[in-house]
Amino acid sequence: MEEINVLIEQRYKKLEDLRKAGIDPYSNSFIPEVKAIDIKNTYSQYSQEMLENELIPLKVAGRIIALRDFGKAVFSHLQDSTAKIQLYFKKDILQDKFQLLKKLDIGDIIGVSGRLFKTKTNELTIEVTDYHILCKSLRPLPEKWHGLRDVEIRYRQRYVDLIVNPQVKEIFAKRSAIIKAIRDFLEQNGFIEVETPMMHQIPGGASARPFSTHHNALDIDLYLRIAPELYLKRLLVGGYERVFELNKNFRNEGISTRHNPEFTMLEFYIAYRDYEFLMNFTEELFSYVANKVLGTLKIPFGDHLIDLTPPWKRIRLLDALQVEGLSKEDISNIDAITSWAKSKSIDIPKGITLAKAIDEVFKELIEPTLIQPTFVIDYPVELSPLAKKKAEDPNFVERFELFIASREIANAFSELNDPIDQKERFLKQMEAKKQGDEEAHWMDEDFIRALEYGMPPAAGEGIGIDRLVMLLTNSQSIRDVILFPQLKPEQ
Protein backbone atom coordinates (compact mmCIF):
# COMPACT_ATOMS: atom_id res chain seq x y z
CA MET A 1 0.00 0.00 0.00
CA GLU A 2 2.90 2.35 0.80
CA GLU A 3 4.32 1.73 -2.69
CA ILE A 4 0.96 2.65 -4.24
CA ASN A 5 0.85 5.89 -2.23
CA VAL A 6 4.32 6.83 -3.48
CA LEU A 7 3.27 6.24 -7.07
CA ILE A 8 0.17 8.36 -6.58
CA GLU A 9 2.30 11.18 -5.13
CA GLN A 10 4.57 11.00 -8.18
CA ARG A 11 1.60 11.32 -10.49
CA TYR A 12 0.27 14.32 -8.59
CA LYS A 13 3.74 15.90 -9.02
CA LYS A 14 3.59 15.29 -12.77
CA LEU A 15 0.12 16.82 -12.84
CA GLU A 16 1.46 19.93 -11.12
CA ASP A 17 4.41 20.12 -13.55
CA LEU A 18 2.06 19.96 -16.54
CA ARG A 19 -0.04 22.80 -15.21
CA LYS A 20 3.06 24.91 -14.48
CA ALA A 21 4.07 24.35 -18.10
CA GLY A 22 0.74 25.78 -19.23
CA ILE A 23 -0.69 22.42 -20.31
CA ASP A 24 -4.25 21.50 -19.41
CA PRO A 25 -4.05 17.85 -18.19
CA TYR A 26 -7.81 17.43 -18.67
CA SER A 27 -8.21 18.98 -22.08
CA ASN A 28 -11.15 18.39 -24.41
CA SER A 29 -9.37 19.77 -27.46
CA PHE A 30 -8.93 16.62 -29.54
CA ILE A 31 -11.50 14.76 -31.65
CA PRO A 32 -10.50 11.25 -32.80
CA GLU A 33 -11.46 10.33 -36.34
CA VAL A 34 -10.91 6.56 -36.39
CA LYS A 35 -11.02 3.54 -34.07
CA ALA A 36 -8.11 1.19 -33.46
CA ILE A 37 -10.04 -1.83 -34.74
CA ASP A 38 -10.84 -0.05 -38.02
CA ILE A 39 -7.16 0.79 -38.50
CA LYS A 40 -6.20 -2.84 -37.99
CA ASN A 41 -8.97 -4.25 -40.17
CA THR A 42 -8.18 -1.86 -43.00
CA TYR A 43 -4.40 -1.77 -43.02
CA SER A 44 -3.09 -4.98 -41.43
CA GLN A 45 -2.53 -6.56 -44.85
CA TYR A 46 -0.72 -3.52 -46.25
CA SER A 47 3.01 -3.87 -46.86
CA GLN A 48 5.44 -1.25 -45.55
CA GLU A 49 5.84 0.04 -49.12
CA MET A 50 2.09 0.47 -49.55
CA LEU A 51 1.86 2.37 -46.24
CA GLU A 52 4.73 4.66 -47.28
CA ASN A 53 3.14 5.38 -50.65
CA GLU A 54 -0.20 6.35 -49.12
CA LEU A 55 1.14 8.26 -46.06
CA ILE A 56 -2.20 7.73 -44.33
CA PRO A 57 -2.89 10.47 -41.71
CA LEU A 58 -4.71 9.27 -38.59
CA LYS A 59 -6.22 10.75 -35.43
CA VAL A 60 -6.97 8.28 -32.65
CA ALA A 61 -7.54 8.57 -28.90
CA GLY A 62 -7.44 6.15 -25.99
CA ARG A 63 -5.70 5.01 -22.83
CA ILE A 64 -2.00 4.23 -22.55
CA ILE A 65 -1.65 0.61 -21.40
CA ALA A 66 2.07 0.14 -22.07
CA LEU A 67 5.00 2.55 -22.17
CA ARG A 68 8.64 1.77 -23.05
CA ASP A 69 11.30 4.52 -23.12
CA PHE A 70 14.39 3.96 -25.31
CA GLY A 71 15.95 7.39 -24.89
CA LYS A 72 15.37 9.08 -28.25
CA ALA A 73 12.29 6.98 -28.96
CA VAL A 74 9.31 5.77 -26.95
CA PHE A 75 7.00 2.88 -27.81
CA SER A 76 3.53 2.69 -26.33
CA HIS A 77 0.26 0.81 -26.71
CA LEU A 78 -2.96 2.79 -26.92
CA GLN A 79 -6.29 1.12 -26.13
CA ASP A 80 -9.63 2.58 -27.17
CA SER A 81 -13.08 1.01 -26.86
CA THR A 82 -12.38 -1.40 -29.72
CA ALA A 83 -8.76 -2.61 -29.62
CA LYS A 84 -5.19 -1.63 -28.87
CA ILE A 85 -2.58 -0.30 -31.30
CA GLN A 86 1.12 0.46 -31.01
CA LEU A 87 2.42 4.05 -30.99
CA TYR A 88 5.93 5.25 -31.84
CA PHE A 89 7.16 8.59 -30.47
CA LYS A 90 10.40 9.87 -32.02
CA LYS A 91 12.42 12.80 -30.67
CA ASP A 92 13.41 14.04 -34.15
CA ILE A 93 9.73 14.38 -35.07
CA LEU A 94 8.23 15.72 -31.84
CA GLN A 95 11.11 18.06 -30.96
CA ASP A 96 10.45 19.92 -27.67
CA LYS A 97 7.19 18.05 -27.09
CA PHE A 98 9.15 14.81 -26.82
CA GLN A 99 10.34 15.80 -23.34
CA LEU A 100 6.75 15.97 -22.10
CA LEU A 101 6.50 12.23 -22.59
CA LYS A 102 8.30 11.99 -19.23
CA LYS A 103 5.09 13.26 -17.66
CA LEU A 104 2.99 10.44 -19.12
CA ASP A 105 2.07 7.27 -17.24
CA ILE A 106 0.26 4.03 -17.97
CA GLY A 107 -3.42 4.83 -17.60
CA ASP A 108 -3.26 8.34 -19.07
CA ILE A 109 -5.68 9.13 -21.89
CA ILE A 110 -4.18 10.86 -24.91
CA GLY A 111 -5.04 11.78 -28.47
CA VAL A 112 -2.45 11.26 -31.21
CA SER A 113 -2.02 12.32 -34.82
CA GLY A 114 0.34 10.38 -37.04
CA ARG A 115 0.93 8.04 -39.94
CA LEU A 116 1.12 4.27 -40.23
CA PHE A 117 4.16 2.09 -40.71
CA LYS A 118 5.22 -1.45 -39.83
CA THR A 119 8.04 -2.36 -37.46
CA LYS A 120 10.70 -4.99 -38.13
CA THR A 121 8.42 -7.48 -36.38
CA ASN A 122 5.64 -6.50 -38.83
CA GLU A 123 3.49 -4.83 -36.17
CA LEU A 124 1.18 -2.11 -37.47
CA THR A 125 2.25 1.08 -35.67
CA ILE A 126 1.37 4.78 -35.66
CA GLU A 127 4.37 7.11 -35.94
CA VAL A 128 3.16 10.02 -33.82
CA THR A 129 3.53 13.50 -35.31
CA ASP A 130 1.62 15.23 -32.50
CA TYR A 131 -0.18 14.29 -29.31
CA HIS A 132 -2.49 15.84 -26.71
CA ILE A 133 -2.88 14.90 -23.04
CA LEU A 134 -6.61 14.49 -22.49
CA CYS A 135 -6.73 13.01 -18.98
CA LYS A 136 -3.95 12.53 -16.46
CA SER A 137 -4.48 9.31 -14.50
CA LEU A 138 -3.63 9.80 -10.82
CA ARG A 139 -3.98 6.19 -9.69
CA PRO A 140 -1.85 3.41 -11.20
CA LEU A 141 -3.53 0.41 -12.76
CA PRO A 142 -2.81 -2.87 -10.96
CA GLU A 143 0.11 -4.56 -12.70
CA LYS A 144 -1.10 -8.10 -12.07
CA TRP A 145 -4.83 -7.65 -12.42
CA HIS A 146 -5.04 -10.68 -14.71
CA GLY A 147 -5.78 -13.67 -12.53
CA LEU A 148 -6.51 -11.50 -9.49
CA ARG A 149 -7.94 -13.76 -6.79
CA ASP A 150 -10.14 -11.19 -5.03
CA VAL A 151 -13.06 -11.14 -7.44
CA GLU A 152 -14.99 -8.78 -5.18
CA ILE A 153 -12.50 -6.03 -6.03
CA ARG A 154 -13.20 -6.68 -9.71
CA TYR A 155 -16.95 -6.28 -9.14
CA ARG A 156 -16.54 -3.27 -6.86
CA GLN A 157 -14.09 -1.51 -9.19
CA ARG A 158 -15.68 -2.57 -12.45
CA TYR A 159 -14.22 0.49 -14.18
CA VAL A 160 -10.71 -0.94 -13.64
CA ASP A 161 -11.85 -4.46 -14.50
CA LEU A 162 -13.06 -3.21 -17.89
CA ILE A 163 -9.79 -1.38 -18.57
CA VAL A 164 -7.46 -4.30 -17.99
CA ASN A 165 -9.60 -7.35 -18.80
CA PRO A 166 -10.81 -7.23 -22.42
CA GLN A 167 -12.79 -10.47 -21.98
CA VAL A 168 -15.01 -8.72 -19.43
CA LYS A 169 -15.88 -6.06 -21.97
CA GLU A 170 -16.70 -8.85 -24.44
CA ILE A 171 -19.23 -10.34 -22.01
CA PHE A 172 -21.11 -7.06 -21.79
CA ALA A 173 -20.94 -6.56 -25.54
CA LYS A 174 -22.63 -9.98 -25.86
CA ARG A 175 -25.19 -8.97 -23.23
CA SER A 176 -26.11 -5.97 -25.35
CA ALA A 177 -26.34 -8.16 -28.47
CA ILE A 178 -28.54 -10.70 -26.63
CA ILE A 179 -30.98 -8.01 -25.52
CA LYS A 180 -31.11 -6.53 -29.02
CA ALA A 181 -31.78 -9.96 -30.53
CA ILE A 182 -34.64 -10.54 -28.05
CA ARG A 183 -36.20 -7.21 -28.97
CA ASP A 184 -35.80 -7.94 -32.69
CA PHE A 185 -37.44 -11.36 -32.36
CA LEU A 186 -40.41 -10.07 -30.39
CA GLU A 187 -40.95 -7.11 -32.70
CA GLN A 188 -40.76 -9.39 -35.74
CA ASN A 189 -43.57 -11.41 -34.10
CA GLY A 190 -45.85 -8.40 -33.68
CA PHE A 191 -45.07 -7.45 -30.07
CA ILE A 192 -44.74 -3.83 -28.97
CA GLU A 193 -42.50 -2.71 -26.13
CA VAL A 194 -44.09 -0.82 -23.25
CA GLU A 195 -43.06 0.68 -19.92
CA THR A 196 -45.02 0.22 -16.72
CA PRO A 197 -44.45 1.72 -13.25
CA MET A 198 -41.36 0.92 -11.20
CA MET A 199 -43.04 2.08 -7.98
CA HIS A 200 -46.20 0.27 -6.95
CA GLN A 201 -48.72 1.01 -4.24
CA ILE A 202 -49.39 -2.73 -4.13
CA PRO A 203 -46.47 -5.06 -4.94
CA GLY A 204 -47.80 -7.88 -7.09
CA GLY A 205 -47.12 -10.27 -9.94
CA ALA A 206 -44.75 -12.58 -8.06
CA SER A 207 -44.09 -14.23 -4.72
CA ALA A 208 -41.31 -12.10 -3.25
CA ARG A 209 -40.49 -9.65 -0.50
CA PRO A 210 -40.47 -6.06 -1.81
CA PHE A 211 -38.31 -3.04 -1.04
CA SER A 212 -40.37 -0.24 0.49
CA THR A 213 -40.06 3.53 0.38
CA HIS A 214 -42.23 6.53 1.22
CA HIS A 215 -43.62 9.27 -1.00
CA ASN A 216 -43.64 12.47 1.04
CA ALA A 217 -46.02 14.55 -1.07
CA LEU A 218 -48.75 11.88 -1.11
CA ASP A 219 -47.75 10.59 2.34
CA ILE A 220 -48.05 6.98 1.21
CA ASP A 221 -45.79 3.95 1.25
CA LEU A 222 -44.62 2.70 -2.14
CA TYR A 223 -42.79 -0.45 -3.20
CA LEU A 224 -40.18 -1.07 -5.86
CA ARG A 225 -41.80 -3.50 -8.21
CA ILE A 226 -41.18 -7.21 -7.88
CA ALA A 227 -42.76 -7.84 -11.30
CA PRO A 228 -44.64 -5.87 -14.01
CA GLU A 229 -47.17 -8.66 -14.58
CA LEU A 230 -50.37 -7.10 -13.30
CA TYR A 231 -49.81 -3.87 -15.22
CA LEU A 232 -49.03 -5.73 -18.45
CA LYS A 233 -52.26 -7.71 -18.03
CA ARG A 234 -54.14 -4.44 -17.61
CA LEU A 235 -52.88 -3.59 -21.10
CA LEU A 236 -54.43 -6.82 -22.40
CA VAL A 237 -57.71 -5.64 -20.89
CA GLY A 238 -57.21 -2.32 -22.68
CA GLY A 239 -56.95 -3.97 -26.08
CA TYR A 240 -53.27 -4.67 -26.65
CA GLU A 241 -52.73 -8.26 -27.77
CA ARG A 242 -48.93 -8.62 -27.81
CA VAL A 243 -46.85 -6.60 -25.36
CA PHE A 244 -43.46 -6.94 -23.70
CA GLU A 245 -41.36 -5.10 -21.17
CA LEU A 246 -37.63 -5.53 -20.68
CA ASN A 247 -36.64 -3.76 -17.52
CA LYS A 248 -35.59 -3.98 -13.87
CA ASN A 249 -37.29 -5.83 -11.02
CA PHE A 250 -36.36 -5.53 -7.35
CA ARG A 251 -36.67 -8.23 -4.70
CA ASN A 252 -35.51 -7.94 -1.11
CA GLU A 253 -33.74 -11.28 -1.05
CA GLY A 254 -30.30 -12.73 -0.50
CA ILE A 255 -27.26 -12.19 -2.72
CA SER A 256 -25.61 -15.22 -4.35
CA THR A 257 -24.08 -16.41 -7.60
CA ARG A 258 -27.65 -16.65 -8.96
CA HIS A 259 -29.40 -13.75 -7.21
CA ASN A 260 -29.03 -9.99 -7.21
CA PRO A 261 -31.71 -7.85 -5.53
CA GLU A 262 -31.89 -5.69 -8.68
CA PHE A 263 -32.16 -7.75 -11.85
CA THR A 264 -33.34 -7.55 -15.45
CA MET A 265 -36.47 -9.39 -16.52
CA LEU A 266 -38.26 -9.82 -19.81
CA GLU A 267 -42.02 -10.27 -19.50
CA PHE A 268 -44.28 -10.69 -22.52
CA TYR A 269 -47.98 -11.44 -22.96
CA ILE A 270 -49.92 -12.69 -25.96
CA ALA A 271 -53.69 -12.87 -26.26
CA TYR A 272 -55.55 -15.95 -27.50
CA ARG A 273 -52.67 -18.34 -26.79
CA ASP A 274 -51.83 -20.78 -23.97
CA TYR A 275 -48.76 -22.20 -22.26
CA GLU A 276 -48.41 -24.94 -24.87
CA PHE A 277 -47.90 -22.23 -27.49
CA LEU A 278 -45.34 -20.50 -25.26
CA MET A 279 -43.18 -23.60 -24.98
CA ASN A 280 -42.76 -23.71 -28.75
CA PHE A 281 -42.35 -19.93 -28.90
CA THR A 282 -39.64 -20.06 -26.22
CA GLU A 283 -37.70 -22.66 -28.17
CA GLU A 284 -37.87 -20.39 -31.22
CA LEU A 285 -36.81 -17.33 -29.22
CA PHE A 286 -33.79 -18.99 -27.61
CA SER A 287 -32.73 -20.55 -30.90
CA TYR A 288 -32.95 -17.21 -32.67
CA VAL A 289 -30.93 -15.40 -30.01
CA ALA A 290 -28.22 -18.08 -29.76
CA ASN A 291 -27.79 -18.24 -33.53
CA LYS A 292 -27.76 -14.46 -33.85
CA VAL A 293 -25.22 -13.85 -31.08
CA LEU A 294 -23.12 -17.04 -31.05
CA GLY A 295 -23.81 -18.63 -34.43
CA THR A 296 -24.58 -22.01 -32.86
CA LEU A 297 -27.16 -23.85 -30.75
CA LYS A 298 -24.53 -25.90 -28.92
CA ILE A 299 -22.94 -23.83 -26.20
CA PRO A 300 -20.40 -24.66 -23.48
CA PHE A 301 -21.42 -23.98 -19.91
CA GLY A 302 -19.08 -25.09 -17.16
CA ASP A 303 -18.42 -28.81 -17.64
CA HIS A 304 -21.42 -29.25 -19.94
CA LEU A 305 -22.27 -28.70 -23.58
CA ILE A 306 -25.81 -27.34 -23.70
CA ASP A 307 -27.82 -28.20 -26.82
CA LEU A 308 -30.58 -25.67 -27.52
CA THR A 309 -31.81 -27.53 -30.59
CA PRO A 310 -35.63 -27.93 -30.38
CA PRO A 311 -37.70 -29.75 -29.31
CA TRP A 312 -36.83 -29.66 -25.62
CA LYS A 313 -37.79 -32.20 -22.98
CA ARG A 314 -41.13 -31.70 -21.20
CA ILE A 315 -42.06 -33.39 -17.91
CA ARG A 316 -44.87 -32.93 -15.40
CA LEU A 317 -43.72 -31.74 -11.98
CA LEU A 318 -45.22 -34.72 -10.14
CA ASP A 319 -43.85 -37.16 -12.72
CA ALA A 320 -40.37 -35.72 -12.16
CA LEU A 321 -40.70 -36.40 -8.43
CA GLN A 322 -41.94 -39.95 -9.01
CA VAL A 323 -38.94 -40.65 -11.23
CA GLU A 324 -36.81 -39.95 -8.14
CA GLY A 325 -38.74 -42.49 -6.06
CA LEU A 326 -41.66 -40.56 -4.54
CA SER A 327 -44.95 -42.47 -4.75
CA LYS A 328 -48.32 -40.86 -5.48
CA GLU A 329 -49.20 -41.47 -1.82
CA ASP A 330 -46.08 -39.64 -0.65
CA ILE A 331 -46.86 -36.66 -2.87
CA SER A 332 -50.43 -36.38 -1.59
CA ASN A 333 -49.58 -36.34 2.13
CA ILE A 334 -47.55 -33.70 3.97
CA ASP A 335 -46.33 -36.10 6.67
CA ALA A 336 -45.32 -38.73 4.12
CA ILE A 337 -43.42 -36.31 1.89
CA THR A 338 -41.73 -34.74 4.94
CA SER A 339 -40.58 -38.17 6.13
CA TRP A 340 -39.40 -39.15 2.65
CA ALA A 341 -37.53 -35.85 2.26
CA LYS A 342 -35.81 -36.37 5.61
CA SER A 343 -34.52 -39.74 4.41
CA LYS A 344 -32.87 -37.84 1.53
CA SER A 345 -31.40 -35.20 3.89
CA ILE A 346 -33.85 -32.59 2.63
CA ASP A 347 -35.14 -30.32 5.38
CA ILE A 348 -38.82 -29.39 5.07
CA PRO A 349 -39.67 -26.37 7.26
CA LYS A 350 -42.36 -27.05 9.83
CA GLY A 351 -45.83 -25.68 9.19
CA ILE A 352 -45.60 -25.31 5.41
CA THR A 353 -48.29 -26.58 3.08
CA LEU A 354 -48.15 -29.72 0.94
CA ALA A 355 -47.66 -27.70 -2.25
CA LYS A 356 -44.70 -25.83 -0.78
CA ALA A 357 -43.23 -29.07 0.52
CA ILE A 358 -43.42 -30.47 -3.02
CA ASP A 359 -41.67 -27.33 -4.26
CA GLU A 360 -38.89 -27.70 -1.66
CA VAL A 361 -38.25 -31.32 -2.64
CA PHE A 362 -38.20 -30.38 -6.31
CA LYS A 363 -35.67 -27.58 -5.76
CA GLU A 364 -33.34 -29.78 -3.73
CA LEU A 365 -33.64 -33.05 -5.63
CA ILE A 366 -34.74 -32.46 -9.22
CA GLU A 367 -33.53 -28.99 -10.17
CA PRO A 368 -29.79 -29.83 -9.97
CA THR A 369 -30.28 -32.68 -12.47
CA LEU A 370 -31.90 -30.54 -15.18
CA ILE A 371 -28.86 -29.75 -17.35
CA GLN A 372 -30.28 -29.80 -20.87
CA PRO A 373 -33.28 -27.53 -21.62
CA THR A 374 -36.32 -28.93 -19.83
CA PHE A 375 -39.87 -27.63 -19.42
CA VAL A 376 -41.29 -28.70 -16.06
CA ILE A 377 -45.06 -28.35 -16.43
CA ASP A 378 -48.31 -28.40 -14.43
CA TYR A 379 -47.79 -26.94 -10.95
CA PRO A 380 -50.09 -27.04 -7.89
CA VAL A 381 -52.58 -24.18 -7.94
CA GLU A 382 -51.36 -22.87 -4.57
CA LEU A 383 -47.93 -22.15 -6.07
CA SER A 384 -49.44 -20.30 -9.02
CA PRO A 385 -52.13 -17.81 -7.90
CA LEU A 386 -52.19 -15.98 -11.23
CA ALA A 387 -52.36 -19.01 -13.56
CA LYS A 388 -55.34 -20.73 -15.18
CA LYS A 389 -56.41 -24.09 -13.75
CA LYS A 390 -56.19 -27.21 -15.86
CA ALA A 391 -59.65 -28.21 -17.06
CA GLU A 392 -59.04 -31.91 -16.37
CA ASP A 393 -57.55 -31.36 -12.89
CA PRO A 394 -58.35 -28.07 -11.11
CA ASN A 395 -55.74 -28.79 -8.41
CA PHE A 396 -53.08 -27.90 -10.98
CA VAL A 397 -52.49 -25.01 -13.36
CA GLU A 398 -51.25 -24.62 -16.93
CA ARG A 399 -47.76 -23.47 -16.03
CA PHE A 400 -44.18 -24.31 -16.91
CA GLU A 401 -40.76 -23.40 -15.64
CA LEU A 402 -37.81 -23.71 -18.00
CA PHE A 403 -34.58 -25.10 -16.55
CA ILE A 404 -31.19 -25.09 -18.25
CA ALA A 405 -27.90 -25.98 -16.56
CA SER A 406 -29.74 -26.53 -13.23
CA ARG A 407 -31.07 -22.98 -13.28
CA GLU A 408 -34.59 -21.66 -13.68
CA ILE A 409 -34.45 -19.44 -16.75
CA ALA A 410 -38.14 -18.78 -17.44
CA ASN A 411 -41.58 -19.04 -15.84
CA ALA A 412 -44.81 -18.98 -17.83
CA PHE A 413 -48.47 -19.91 -17.74
CA SER A 414 -51.86 -19.59 -19.28
CA GLU A 415 -53.22 -16.48 -17.59
CA LEU A 416 -56.13 -16.57 -15.18
CA ASN A 417 -58.81 -14.20 -16.51
CA ASP A 418 -61.72 -15.21 -14.25
CA PRO A 419 -62.13 -12.27 -11.80
CA ILE A 420 -64.08 -14.34 -9.26
CA ASP A 421 -61.48 -17.10 -9.15
CA GLN A 422 -58.68 -14.51 -9.03
CA LYS A 423 -60.23 -12.71 -6.07
CA GLU A 424 -60.68 -15.98 -4.16
CA ARG A 425 -57.02 -16.82 -4.71
CA PHE A 426 -55.90 -13.36 -3.57
CA LEU A 427 -57.95 -13.84 -0.39
CA LYS A 428 -56.19 -17.15 0.26
CA GLN A 429 -52.86 -15.44 -0.30
CA MET A 430 -53.84 -12.72 2.19
CA GLU A 431 -54.63 -15.41 4.73
CA ALA A 432 -51.22 -16.96 4.13
CA LYS A 433 -49.63 -13.54 4.66
CA LYS A 434 -51.43 -13.26 8.01
CA GLN A 435 -49.96 -16.63 8.93
CA GLY A 436 -46.47 -15.27 8.36
CA ASP A 437 -45.77 -15.87 4.66
CA GLU A 438 -43.94 -12.64 3.77
CA GLU A 439 -43.82 -13.58 0.06
CA ALA A 440 -47.56 -14.19 -0.35
CA HIS A 441 -49.42 -12.06 -2.88
CA TRP A 442 -51.29 -8.93 -1.84
CA MET A 443 -54.91 -8.17 -2.67
CA ASP A 444 -55.15 -5.85 -5.69
CA GLU A 445 -58.73 -4.64 -6.00
CA ASP A 446 -58.00 -2.54 -9.08
CA PHE A 447 -56.60 -5.56 -10.90
CA ILE A 448 -59.79 -7.47 -10.04
CA ARG A 449 -61.81 -4.53 -11.39
CA ALA A 450 -59.77 -4.66 -14.61
CA LEU A 451 -60.51 -8.38 -14.99
CA GLU A 452 -64.20 -7.65 -14.46
CA TYR A 453 -64.14 -5.54 -17.62
CA GLY A 454 -62.81 -8.62 -19.41
CA MET A 455 -59.31 -9.82 -20.27
CA PRO A 456 -58.99 -12.07 -23.33
CA PRO A 457 -57.55 -15.56 -22.82
CA ALA A 458 -53.79 -15.14 -22.89
CA ALA A 459 -50.40 -16.59 -22.06
CA GLY A 460 -47.52 -14.78 -20.40
CA GLU A 461 -43.87 -15.46 -19.67
CA GLY A 462 -41.00 -14.03 -17.67
CA ILE A 463 -37.38 -14.70 -18.65
CA GLY A 464 -34.46 -13.81 -16.40
CA ILE A 465 -32.14 -11.86 -18.68
CA ASP A 466 -29.15 -12.03 -16.34
CA ARG A 467 -29.37 -15.82 -16.14
CA LEU A 468 -29.81 -16.08 -19.91
CA VAL A 469 -26.68 -13.96 -20.40
CA MET A 470 -24.84 -16.18 -17.90
CA LEU A 471 -25.80 -19.21 -20.00
CA LEU A 472 -24.78 -17.70 -23.35
CA THR A 473 -21.46 -16.30 -22.06
CA ASN A 474 -20.47 -19.32 -19.93
CA SER A 475 -20.46 -17.17 -16.78
CA GLN A 476 -20.82 -18.98 -13.46
CA SER A 477 -21.88 -15.98 -11.35
CA ILE A 478 -24.62 -13.44 -11.94
CA ARG A 479 -22.12 -10.80 -10.84
CA ASP A 480 -20.10 -11.53 -13.97
CA VAL A 481 -22.95 -10.32 -16.20
CA ILE A 482 -24.16 -7.30 -14.20
CA LEU A 483 -21.92 -4.26 -14.63
CA PHE A 484 -22.37 -3.06 -11.07
CA PRO A 485 -23.77 -5.86 -8.88
CA GLN A 486 -25.00 -5.14 -5.39
CA LEU A 487 -22.26 -5.63 -2.79
CA LYS A 488 -21.98 -5.16 0.94
CA PRO A 489 -20.59 -1.73 1.92
CA GLU A 490 -16.85 -1.33 1.45
CA GLN A 491 -15.02 -1.38 4.76
Side-chain angles (χ1 to χ4, degrees):
M1 183 60 69
E2 184 177 347
E3 180 185 358
I4 295 295
N5 290 335
V6 170
L7 293 174
I8 292 174
E9 288 177 9
Q10 291 173 354
R11 291 187 179 219
Y12 269 92
K13 178 63 169 59
K14 291 179 180 180
L15 177 72
E16 184 181 350
D17 292 343
L18 288 171
R19 284 181 166 151
K20 284 181 178 178
I23 296 171
D24 180 3
Y26 299 101
S27 170
N28 194 14
S29 59
F30 184 89
I31 300 176
E33 296 176 350
V34 66
K35 294 292 186 183
I37 193 66
D38 297 324
I39 296 172
K40 291 190 166 188
N41 289 342
T42 304
Y43 301 110
S44 288
Q45 302 306 314
Y46 276 45
S47 66
Q48 174 62 22
E49 185 179 359
M50 293 169 66
L51 293 173
E52 288 175 354
N53 289 337
E54 293 202 18
L55 291 176
I56 302 150
L58 298 170
K59 294 180 73 176
V60 62
R63 188 182 299 274
I64 297 172
I65 59 169
L67 202 58
R68 303 183 302 280
D69 191 341
F70 295 97
K72 294 184 178 181
V74 171
F75 280 92
S76 172
H77 274 103
L78 183 93
Q79 179 175 286
D80 66 10
S81 62
T82 63
K84 68 178 181 179
I85 191 164
Q86 183 164 265
L87 306 179
Y88 175 60
F89 302 87
K90 194 175 181 182
K91 185 175 182 180
D92 293 347
I93 296 174
L94 294 171
Q95 301 294 322
D96 293 342
K97 208 166 184 179
F98 185 80
Q99 297 303 317
L100 279 175
L101 292 173
K102 301 289 186 182
K103 306 302 178 185
L104 293 183
D105 291 292
I106 292 174
D108 289 354
I109 297 172
I110 63 172
V112 302
S113 302
R115 50 184 174 262
L116 285 173
F117 76 101
K118 284 192 172 180
T119 64
K120 291 180 181 179
T121 58
N122 208 37
E123 182 171 357
L124 195 63
T125 304
I126 299 175
E127 183 179 64
V128 178
T129 56
D130 194 13
Y131 70 93
H132 299 265
I133 300 172
L134 306 179
C135 181
K136 181 64 187 169
S137 171
L138 299 178
R139 187 175 290 270
L141 295 173
E143 293 181 14
K144 297 180 180 178
W145 193 271
H146 294 277
L148 186 67
R149 294 293 180 265
D150 191 346
V151 293
E152 185 170 318
I153 295 179
R154 289 184 47 231
Y155 301 142
R156 196 179 296 281
Q157 299 179 24
R158 182 69 85 188
Y159 38 88
V160 182
D161 193 22
L162 291 167
I163 292 170
V164 299
N165 284 330
Q167 70 273 20
V168 174
K169 197 176 291 183
E170 291 172 10
I171 287 175
F172 290 102
K174 282 184 180 177
R175 180 186 174 106
S176 180
I178 289 166
I179 290 173
K180 182 181 185 303
I182 289 170
R183 282 194 165 103
D184 290 346
F185 180 84
L186 291 172
E187 288 169 0
Q188 290 166 17
N189 280 274
F191 287 79
I192 65 167
E193 185 170 7
V194 297
E195 293 182 69
T196 62
M198 288 285 188
M199 292 194 296
H200 294 179
Q201 292 187 33
I202 300 173
S207 297
R209 184 186 303 172
F211 289 96
S212 61
T213 185
H214 187 79
H215 190 283
N216 291 333
L218 294 177
D219 193 25
I220 59 171
D221 290 331
L222 292 173
Y223 303 89
L224 295 182
R225 77 173 185 197
I226 56 176
E229 177 168 341
L230 301 188
Y231 281 95
L232 292 171
K233 287 182 181 178
R234 286 173 169 94
L235 296 180
L236 295 180
V237 173
Y240 289 98
E241 293 185 359
R242 299 188 179 203
V243 295
F244 77 94
E245 183 167 11
L246 211 163
N247 221 320
K248 296 290 187 182
N249 288 348
F250 307 86
R251 297 180 184 177
N252 200 345
E253 58 188 15
I255 297 174
S256 71
T257 57
R258 301 188 187 188
H259 295 91
N260 194 67
E262 174 185 353
F263 60 98
T264 304
M265 178 71 77
L266 165 69
E267 285 208 20
F268 60 93
Y269 292 80
I270 179 169
Y272 310 112
R273 298 292 191 276
D274 63 9
Y275 79 137
E276 293 280 357
F277 167 85
L278 281 187
M279 282 186 266
N280 297 327
F281 190 76
T282 303
E283 291 173 347
E284 293 175 17
L285 170 60
F286 278 52
S287 299
Y288 176 89
V289 172
N291 272 322
K292 195 79 172 178
V293 177
L294 304 177
T296 180
L297 296 182
K298 295 182 179 180
I299 54 177
F301 188 80
D303 297 329
H304 304 285
L305 184 66
I306 306 298
D307 189 355
L308 297 178
T309 306
W312 299 343
K313 181 181 178 181
R314 304 179 185 189
I315 186 169
R316 291 178 66 247
L317 173 63
L318 295 193
D319 291 343
L321 292 174
Q322 290 180 47
V323 167
E324 292 299 321
L326 270 166
S327 67
K328 288 185 178 180
E329 291 73 22
D330 292 331
I331 296 172
S332 61
N333 182 281
I334 184 65
D335 292 330
I337 195 171
T338 299
S339 177
W340 187 91
K342 188 175 182 180
S343 71
K344 299 290 184 179
S345 300
I346 300 172
D347 183 34
I348 302 296
K350 292 182 179 180
I352 70 170
T353 62
L354 175 62
K356 291 198 171 183
I358 289 172
D359 194 40
E360 289 290 328
V361 171
F362 173 82
K363 288 178 180 177
E364 292 292 328
L365 194 64
I366 309 300
E367 191 171 318
T369 70
L370 303 178
I371 306 301
Q372 297 302 326
T374 304
F375 293 112
V376 178
I377 66 174
D378 301 347
Y379 281 69
V381 65
E382 181 191 334
L383 300 178
S384 316
L386 298 168
K388 186 183 289 290
K389 293 176 182 177
K390 292 180 68 67
E392 63 273 23
D393 188 349
N395 292 314
F396 293 86
V397 296
E398 296 182 354
R399 172 187 171 188
F400 72 76
E401 287 188 346
L402 170 63
F403 293 89
I404 307 177
S406 304
R407 291 162 169 81
E408 178 199 342
I409 304 291
N411 180 32
F413 37 82
S414 305
E415 302 296 337
L416 176 60
N417 61 344
D418 178 344
I420 298 173
D421 188 358
Q422 184 66 82
K423 187 167 186 176
E424 289 175 352
R425 295 202 213 175
F426 276 160
L427 289 172
K428 289 180 180 178
Q429 288 287 304
M430 291 296 291
E431 186 60 34
K433 187 174 287 292
K434 289 179 182 178
Q435 299 299 321
D437 186 351
E438 295 180 341
E439 296 186 350
H441 286 245
W442 295 38
M443 171 63 74
D444 190 333
E445 294 285 1
D446 179 70
F447 179 65
I448 299 299
R449 177 169 56 194
L451 291 183
E452 288 173 344
Y453 279 99
M455 186 182 86
E461 181 167 349
I463 298 175
I465 296 300
D466 305 308
R467 291 187 180 181
L468 177 59
V469 175
M470 287 172 64
L471 176 69
L472 297 182
T473 60
N474 196 5
S475 300
Q476 301 304 308
S477 172
I478 196 170
R479 295 181 180 186
D480 291 328
V481 300
I482 297 175
L483 278 169
F484 300 101
Q486 191 65 47
L487 301 168
K488 61 184 178 183
E490 188 172 6
Q491 296 301 317

